[in-house]
Amino acid sequence: MADLKITDLHKHYGPVHAVRGVDLEIPAREFAVLVGPSGCGKSTLLRSIAGLEEIDRGTIEIGGKVVNDMRPRDRDIAMVFQNYALYPYLTVYENIAFGLKARKTPKAEIETRVKRAADMLGIAGLLDRLPRQLSGGQRQRVAIGRAIVRNARLFLFDEPLSNLDAQLRDEMRGEIKRLHQEIATTMIYVTHDQIEAMTLADRIVLLRDGKIEQQGKPLDLFERP
Ligand code: ADP
Ligand code: ADP
């Protein structure tokens, strides 16, 4: 079964037709990367999946359920942004635990999940620190940790590495790939970086002017004459 199924999705911002009839199916556990020139609608598509945009037409199904009328928090998704969006006055532990606490998850369960995520991301020694005491790469790991502990069906990444320097970007790219292999969750990842797309993707989806122009395995797409 497809974890994500989008049918005839349209989104306008006033006169701008940002998404123009997108149909897309992503099977369970696949790593799909959305690429395309700036302004082609990648971010709008991702935010529509997350429930952060009101769509004009079409259907979005996550795990076989139509989510059009669901709030973001009910959609079985977890999202990672480029600007980390950490709470500055909460520790790393509290930042990672935040979404679980809001959902009234039992304390012991929260602790188990936070520690497991922190181990997986190599930040177990940083749980008592505040975000300002972390490097950019460490902050991004915390942001990813917040997503992991949710055990969501669908992971959404919006250019998560674009604020990092080149070396950290390389390192985090490897981490994200390893993470996908380890937790085997379906991931939708937006980037304008071709190396990221080539390294991470099982499927690359190329958008242009709000429509899907091509999709396929990385080598099939980029080796075409
Ligand atoms: P991408 O992520 O591929 O760069 P976006 O989804 O951000 O593209 O944008 C698609 C189109 O929608 C662009 O023309 C952009 O200017 C427009 N757009 C995006 N967000 C808004 C907004 N909040 N208000 C008005 N226009 C927007
Ligand atoms: P959490 O409980 O993890 O803080 P929510 O349940 O409030 O998250 O929302 C579900 C998902 O949608 C989360 O991954 C969150 O990051 C994202 N999200 C919710 N509201 C917004 C918003 N206003 N802008 C961007 N992302 C949001």
Side-chain angles (χ1 to χ4, degrees), residues 47 50 52 72-73 77-79 81 87 98-100 102-103 146 150:
R47 292 172 54 83
L52 302 172
R73 63 176 311 154
I77 54 152
M79 196 152 172
F81 303 93
Y87 298 104
F98 192 85
L100 297 178
R103 285 174 181 73
R146 292 187 51 164
R150 299 273 308 281

Side-chain angles (χ1 to χ4, degrees), residues 2-9 21-27 30 32-34 45 49 59-61 188 203-207 212 214-215:
D3 261 356
L4 174 68
K5 185 173 178 193
I6 296 176
T7 313
D8 195 30
L9 181 67
V22 162
D23 294 294
L24 181 64
E25 261 190 69
I26 307 298
E30 195 166 84
V33 179
L34 307 181
L45 182 54
I49 297 166
T59 317
I60 301 172
E61 290 166 65
I188 317 287
R203 174 197 307 260
I204 290 181
V205 178
L206 174 60
L207 286 172
I212 294 179
Q214 286 182 46
Q215 56 176 312

Side-chain angles (χ1 to χ4, degrees), residues 72-88:
R73 63 176 311 154
D74 296 328
R75 289 191 178 204
D76 211 355
I77 54 152
M79 196 152 172
V80 181
F81 303 93
Q82 60 177 270
N83 55 11
Y84 328 123
L86 303 181
Y87 298 104

Side-chain angles (χ1 to χ4, degrees), residues 1 3 10 24 37 43 50 56 66 78 83-84 96 104 126 132 139 141 153 159 190 199 207 218:
M1 188 191 52
D3 261 356
H10 288 263
L24 181 64
S43 180
D56 300 324
V66 176
N83 55 11
Y84 328 123
I96 297 176
K104 312 251 180 286
L126 305 175
R132 66 179 151 79
R139 279 181 210 161
R141 282 167 211 261
R153 181 185 289 267
E159 308 230 12
V190 166
T199 325
L207 286 172

Side-chain angles (χ1 to χ4, degrees), residues 123-218:
I123 51 173
L126 305 175
L127 290 173
D128 293 330
R129 292 210 196 165
L130 294 171
R132 66 179 151 79
Q133 301 170 309
L134 302 176
S135 71
Q138 290 168 335
R139 279 181 210 161
Q140 192 52 287
R141 282 167 211 261
V142 177
I144 295 171
R146 292 187 51 164
I148 293 178
V149 290
R150 299 273 308 281
N151 291 339
R153 181 185 289 267
L154 203 57
F155 261 57
L156 306 174
F157 291 91
D158 196 356
E159 308 230 12
L161 308 186
S162 60
N163 282 344
L164 303 180
D165 65 37
Q167 193 189 332
L168 258 179
R169 227 173 18 240
D170 287 349
E171 192 182 315
M172 288 303 293
R173 205 169 54 225
E175 294 274 318
I176 290 173
K177 191 171 176 78
R178 190 178 52 73
L179 183 73
H180 177 245
Q181 285 159 356
E182 200 164 329
I183 65 177
T185 299
T186 312
M187 298 189 170
I188 317 287
Y189 189 103
V190 166
T191 183
H192 59 264
D193 181 325
Q194 188 165 326
I195 299 175
E196 260 171 64
M198 288 292 287
T199 325
L200 292 171
D202 298 316
R203 174 197 307 260
I204 290 181
V205 178
L206 174 60
L207 286 172
R208 189 179 292 277
D209 295 332
K211 292 187 190 151
I212 294 179
E213 189 170 79
Q214 286 182 46
Q215 56 176 312
K217 295 200 174 96

Side-chain angles (χ1 to χ4, degrees), residues 11-60:
K11 167 69 186 174
H12 290 80
Y13 296 102
V16 178
H17 199 169
V19 177
R20 311 175 171 227
V22 162
D23 294 294
L24 181 64
E25 261 190 69
I26 307 298
R29 288 182 293 281
E30 195 166 84
F31 200 126
V33 179
L34 307 181
V35 298
S38 174
C40 70
K42 302 182 291 294
S43 180
T44 302
L45 182 54
L46 199 77
R47 292 172 54 83
S48 299
I49 297 166
L52 302 172
E53 298 286 353
E54 200 150 326
I55 62 175
D56 300 324
R57 176 139 65 94
T59 317
I60 301 172

